[in-house]
Amino acid sequence: MASEERENRRDFLNRVIVGLFSLSALIIGVPLIRFLFPPSQIIERRGRKMPVGKVSDIPDGSSKTVLFDGRPVILINYGGKINAVSAICPHMGCFLRWDEKIGQIKCPCHFAVFNVNGSVISGPSPEPLKTYRVEISDNRIFIIKE
Ligand code: FES
């Protein structure tokens, strides 16, 4: 009788412990998952478009470099239209910059020059810059993941 009572008590304690572990996993796990993958981000990834900034942060003629899909991209406001081109030179991978004064993208390494659409104007670059499709919604800039 005493041993049966001990077994019942042990079973009960085991269930309580398992229950407590499950409850704490839920209490910790759900907020952690929501923190790592916010719902808006999940929806936007599914929609294959990613928010990368605000139009109001890039006055006409200026640029901003952002990360998209782990790659640097230059957003350029050119006459009110936002263009998005790779910030990496196709020649040897140098980091490009937008020259606001002349409205061109320049490579500091071997002086390749590109226009706002990423086409080669001059220099050793063997190909134009990768371009990205942009969508604007409520002042927010999205790059479409293709
Ligand atoms: Fe840009 Fe050579 S790396 S021109």
Side-chain angles (χ1 to χ4, degrees), residues 89 91-94 96 107 109-112 124-125:
C89 183
H91 181 228
M92 292 181 77
C94 285
L96 301 167
C107 179
C109 294
H110 312 104
F111 311 110
S125 179

Side-chain angles (χ1 to χ4, degrees), residues 67-107:
L67 272 182
F68 171 70
D69 222 15
R71 298 185 183 98
V73 172
I74 308 174
L75 300 174
I76 304 165
N77 184 339
Y78 198 70
K81 181 181 181 255
I82 303 292
N83 290 349
V85 296
S86 170
I88 300 298
C89 183
H91 181 228
M92 292 181 77
C94 285
F95 202 77
L96 301 167
R97 65 177 188 82
W98 169 248
D99 187 330
E100 197 172 324
K101 288 179 189 155
I102 57 171
Q104 293 175 338
I105 301 163
K106 290 179 164 181
C107 179

Side-chain angles (χ1 to χ4, degrees), residues 11-21:
D11 281 349
F12 174 74
L13 282 175
N14 282 342
R15 286 185 186 150
V16 167
I17 289 169
V18 168
L20 285 175
F21 271 114

Side-chain angles (χ1 to χ4, degrees), residues 18-132:
V18 168
L20 285 175
F21 271 114
S22 302
L23 188 63
S24 30
L26 266 176
I27 289 171
I28 294 169
V30 170
L32 182 66
I33 288 171
R34 294 196 107 205
F35 173 76
L36 293 174
F37 307 103
S40 61
Q41 207 176 28
I42 292 170
I43 290 166
E44 283 159 354
R45 278 197 181 146
R46 276 194 203 134
R48 302 181 68 83
K49 65 183 192 181
M50 306 274 284
V52 289
K54 292 178 180 175
V55 176
S56 56
D57 292 340
I58 312 171
D60 192 4
S62 68
S63 72
K64 181 181 181 184
T65 301
V66 297
L67 272 182
F68 171 70
D69 222 15
R71 298 185 183 98
V73 172
I74 308 174
L75 300 174
I76 304 165
N77 184 339
Y78 198 70
K81 181 181 181 255
I82 303 292
N83 290 349
V85 296
S86 170
I88 300 298
C89 183
H91 181 228
M92 292 181 77
C94 285
F95 202 77
L96 301 167
R97 65 177 188 82
W98 169 248
D99 187 330
E100 197 172 324
K101 288 179 189 155
I102 57 171
Q104 293 175 338
I105 301 163
K106 290 179 164 181
C107 179
C109 294
H110 312 104
F111 311 110
V113 180
F114 306 88
N115 72 12
V116 69
N117 299 314
S119 299
V120 179
I121 294 174
S122 64
S125 179
E127 58 190 81
L129 301 177
K130 177 174 174 42
T131 58
Y132 298 88

